[in-house]
Amino acid sequence: MEEEIDALVIGAGFAGLYQLYSLRDRLGLSTRLLEAGDDLGGTWYWNRYPGARCDSESHAYRYFFSKELNEEWEWTERYPGPPEILKYLGRVAEKFDLRRDMRFGCRVVSARYDEGANRWVVETAAGERYAATYLVAAVGCLSSANVPDIPGLRDFAGQWFHTGRWPHEGVDLAGKRVGQIGTGSTGIQAAPVIAQSAAHLTVFQRTATYSVPARNAPLTPEFNRWVRENHAEIRAVAESTPNGHAFRIADRNVADVTPEERRAIYEAAWEKGGLQFRATFRDLLVNQAANDTACEFIKGRIRAIVRDPETARALADVDHPYATKRPPIDTGYYETFNRDNVTLVDLRADPIECIMPRGIRTRSREHALDVIVFATGYDAMTGALLAIDIRGREGRSLRDDWRAGPHTYLGLQVPGYPNFFTITGPGSPSVLTNMPVAIEQHVEWITGCIAHLRRNGIDAIEPDPEAVRRWDAHVEEAANATLLSKAKHSWYYGANVPGKPRVFMPYAGGLARYRAICADVAAKGYEGFLLGRTPVARSASMGEFAEARGVGV
Ligand code: NA7
């Protein structure tokens, strides 16, 4: 028997919690939330690896919708770690009495649109079934762990872990020889902490990247008072910047200042720490010559910190412009390579051949290991959605429709899948932003949209394929207008997962601009969407989309 409800939300992270609250308490819809994990938290439920910490500054890493919640909640550190974020989300669930409509340990395996009934029939791994008019995927952009298919892993005699599936009880690495594959945001956070307890840490680096110190610190009572008294301003800044952070991008180009001034600006940003380094000049992400100056500055810092010249060379041998792959921030990452118990293996020069029962063999030698840590990232943006067998009208399948890359309108809806919404889906600013701010906007837009449908007796909404075609093109154009398009090997392009279509997935036009576009679409009566009972007629085949965009697998 199916449980009949108005709306079903998948995922209990920042997005799912707020969506449940909005649909249930603002619109009065019967709503359930299904979560695969055994508790809430989303990304933060799963990511418990050593050194895990948010890269967004805590004063803007929160919901802004509730003044009362903001007044009662105080973060303790500049960048919160998983325990504190889980405590925050737990408090949110408690305050808004969300748990009664959440079901944990429920992995959704399929979602099928029943056209006759205009209902989504959703099934979990345990065989429970739900039927809902509206289906909202709040499954996260970085939740489908990517464990590379390296020959021999199955025969490894030690332990291995992916950072995004780290055991909640922790792993005792004391006295162990640990090999860490991956030097993205996660690997850069994990290595310094692993090195403190492991007998030896070998870091396997495929692509060097640019990291800036995070400079985490406890927050002072004065700062927290300032935050409490200035929520409206902090929110206004976060909602009006391209990246959803509560800092503004400097209104100057690199060429506007002298080389000495530029150096002083970079030095000050390096000392201040964090993603604000990206905001030092407004042309860093659009002008190669400007970007080069940031690259040179950071490479100089790496060489100054790392004592062994060969290690410094490999760490500073970055092949892409600054911030065109997700820029990490760190706590003592480069300094870690000055420890006696840490070695860097440059996989460009010495690639991994296979995993042996007792370690990893690279072309030149075998590295004896007790533990392998895969800090190898995610099947980003589409992985968690496509892990579910999602079927729209006439049995069409999302896996087939997205074979050549995702097609959405505004990252919010997919043609052929009525009343199905994605929060921070591909085609929206999502991973290029401070996520809670992007999430709030999506949740509020979806809630407003569903309210509009119900007010006007409209049964179903889905995008017009023509609007999708235009949006796809705009997403590509927005990426091409920046240097992000120069790092074709980034996970923004799906390049980290073999066989994944190479399409730039997030929207690089900026969150503020995106918000304005979404608001305008809604104000014009959901322009670009088809509203009605059977908004079917004009649907085009997804093959045509792929052709129009010239994308291939
Ligand atoms: P990322 O940013 O995808 O980083 C993964 C790292 O793992 C990166 O250095 C990859 O190298 C490396 N990698 C992936 N596959 C392999 C194989 N097969 N061999 C060697 N190295 C490999 O994931 P993170 O978890 O660090 O960060 C995800 C996001 O979480 C982050 O952006 C923040 O938003 C928070 P590559 O660069 O692909 O050559």
Side-chain angles (χ1 to χ4, degrees):
M1 246 329 263
E2 294 150 10
E3 186 177 338
E4 295 273 338
I5 45 187
D6 294 323
L8 190 88
V9 178
I10 311 172
F14 268 86
L17 262 55
Y18 185 35
Q19 189 68 79
L20 167 60
Y21 166 74
S22 297
L23 294 178
R24 190 192 67 183
D25 294 6
R26 290 185 177 146
L27 301 192
L29 303 188
S30 60
T31 309
R32 289 281 178 281
L33 184 153
L34 304 182
E35 163 60 51
D38 288 332
D39 203 353
L40 53 73
T43 291
W44 302 107
Y45 173 82
W46 298 104
N47 276 270
R48 313 284 182 105
Y49 60 86
R53 200 168 276 288
C54 185
D55 281 351
S56 292
E57 295 186 51
S58 57
H59 62 288
Y61 197 76
R62 58 170 70 221
Y63 297 113
F64 284 103
F65 71 87
S66 165
K67 192 161 177 280
E68 216 182 283
L69 176 68
N70 274 327
E71 273 162 14
E72 75 176 48
W73 183 263
E74 245 178 34
W75 294 105
T76 63
E77 293 182 274
R78 182 174 176 190
Y79 307 98
E84 197 176 15
I85 300 173
L86 292 173
K87 200 167 149 200
Y88 173 70
L89 291 174
R91 175 67 196 124
V92 171
E94 183 190 15
K95 187 174 179 65
F96 300 105
D97 191 17
L98 300 179
R99 284 187 185 271
R100 69 183 152 93
D101 290 306
M102 297 163 82
R103 305 284 177 267
F104 298 109
C106 286
R107 181 170 292 281
V108 172
V109 291
S110 70
R112 183 176 53 81
Y113 178 63
D114 175 344
E115 199 157 353
N118 189 32
R119 306 282 275 169
W120 280 92
V121 179
V122 171
E123 194 164 333
T124 70
E128 297 137 338
R129 283 157 69 98
Y130 296 81
T133 307
Y134 311 105
L135 176 64
V136 185
V139 293
C141 297
L142 297 160
S143 49
S144 179
N146 169 44
V147 178
D149 186 16
I150 302 175
L153 177 58
R154 230 174 308 155
D155 302 324
F156 182 56
Q159 296 172 287
W160 67 267
F161 307 94
H162 186 279
T163 49
R165 295 287 177 273
W166 200 260
H168 289 187
E169 64 281 11
V171 180
D172 184 9
L173 298 174
K176 304 262 173 70
R177 294 162 303 176
V178 180
Q180 177 189 303
I181 305 178
T183 55
S185 303
T186 298
I188 278 177
Q189 287 184 338
V193 183
I194 292 175
Q196 284 165 22
S197 57
H200 192 91
L201 170 66
T202 307
V203 177
F204 296 88
Q205 170 190 279
R206 184 165 71 180
T207 308
T209 191
Y210 305 95
S211 185
V212 167
R215 310 230 185 264
N216 187 35
L219 296 177
T220 62
E222 296 73 48
F223 182 80
N224 273 331
R225 189 171 336 110
W226 174 82
V227 171
R228 238 188 347 269
E229 289 166 2
N230 290 280
H231 277 304
E233 289 73 13
I234 294 168
R235 178 182 195 169
V237 175
E239 291 182 352
S240 60
T241 55
N243 48 37
H245 290 282
F247 53 79
R248 293 197 190 281
I249 295 171
D251 189 22
R252 64 182 167 225
N253 290 325
V254 166
D256 295 341
V257 300
T258 65
E260 293 71 34
E261 285 166 335
R262 186 177 74 221
R263 185 158 188 89
I265 290 166
Y266 285 146
E267 264 164 16
W270 182 272
E271 288 315 312
K272 190 169 188 194
L275 293 171
Q276 297 195 33
F277 193 91
R278 238 182 347 184
T280 43
F281 295 99
R282 73 169 168 229
D283 57 345
L284 280 189
L285 269 179
V286 291
N287 178 331
Q288 182 67 62
N291 192 290
D292 286 347
T293 65
C295 299
E296 274 321 303
F297 177 85
I298 300 174
K299 288 178 179 182
R301 285 301 171 125
I302 298 170
R303 290 187 204 105
I305 295 169
V306 180
R307 286 197 289 268
D308 174 56
E310 185 45 34
T311 305
R313 189 207 55 74
L315 287 167
D317 187 18
V318 191
D319 66 357
H320 51 276
Y322 167 65
T324 56
K325 292 183 89 166
R326 169 66 156 72
I329 58 174
D330 70 274
T331 302
Y333 177 65
Y334 295 116
E335 291 81 352
T336 295
F337 293 94
N338 291 334
R339 296 176 65 110
D340 292 338
N341 69 334
V342 178
T343 315
L344 181 76
V345 176
D346 178 0
L347 297 179
R348 294 268 161 108
D350 191 12
I352 292 176
E353 288 195 332
C354 63
I355 295 177
M356 315 277 290
R358 312 243 159 252
I360 292 179
R361 193 163 79 202
T362 56
R363 189 188 290 157
S364 77
R365 55 167 288 204
E366 190 174 331
H367 305 265
L369 300 170
D370 305 306
V371 177
I372 300 175
V373 174
F374 288 96
T376 43
Y378 299 88
D379 182 353
M381 309 218 56
T382 53
L385 283 168
L386 297 181
I388 303 170
D389 183 17
I390 300 177
R391 304 271 167 168
R393 280 185 288 97
E394 297 139 20
R396 65 201 304 158
S397 128
L398 195 65
R399 288 174 188 157
D400 288 343
D401 284 346
W402 285 10
R403 203 167 285 284
H407 306 282
T408 70
Y409 186 35
L410 304 168
L412 279 161
Q413 272 214 304
V414 187
Y417 299 77
N419 297 341
F420 170 56
F421 299 89
T422 50
I423 301 182
T424 62
S428 77
S430 56
V431 291
L432 300 176
T433 72
N434 174 33
M435 292 298 271
V437 176
I439 283 169
E440 257 188 357
Q441 183 261 343
H442 261 193
V443 168
E444 287 164 9
W445 193 95
I446 292 167
T447 308
C449 174
I450 293 176
H452 174 84
L453 302 183
R454 296 180 78 82
R455 240 189 343 260
N456 294 286
I458 299 164
D459 292 318
I461 182 167
E462 68 173 288
D464 182 337
E466 191 43 46
V468 174
R469 213 187 299 272
R470 280 199 306 271
W471 186 251
D472 280 350
H474 181 56
V475 169
E476 197 176 336
E477 175 191 63
N480 288 341
T482 71
L483 298 175
L484 291 163
S485 59
K486 301 241 171 185
K488 289 277 189 306
H489 55 322
S490 75
W491 57 255
Y492 298 146
Y493 276 100
N496 62 327
V497 176
K500 193 166 170 171
R502 300 292 184 95
V503 177
F504 193 88
M505 293 178 287
Y507 175 57
L511 184 59
R513 183 171 167 203
Y514 174 81
R515 297 177 76 90
I517 295 170
C518 291
D520 186 53
V521 162
K524 289 180 175 152
Y526 295 89
E527 188 176 64
F529 287 92
L530 305 172
L531 294 90
R533 172 82 204 176
T534 46
V536 189
R538 283 190 284 154
S539 136
S541 87
M542 287 303 119
E544 285 175 44
F545 284 108
E547 229 170 82
R549 296 180 68 190
V551 292
V553 181

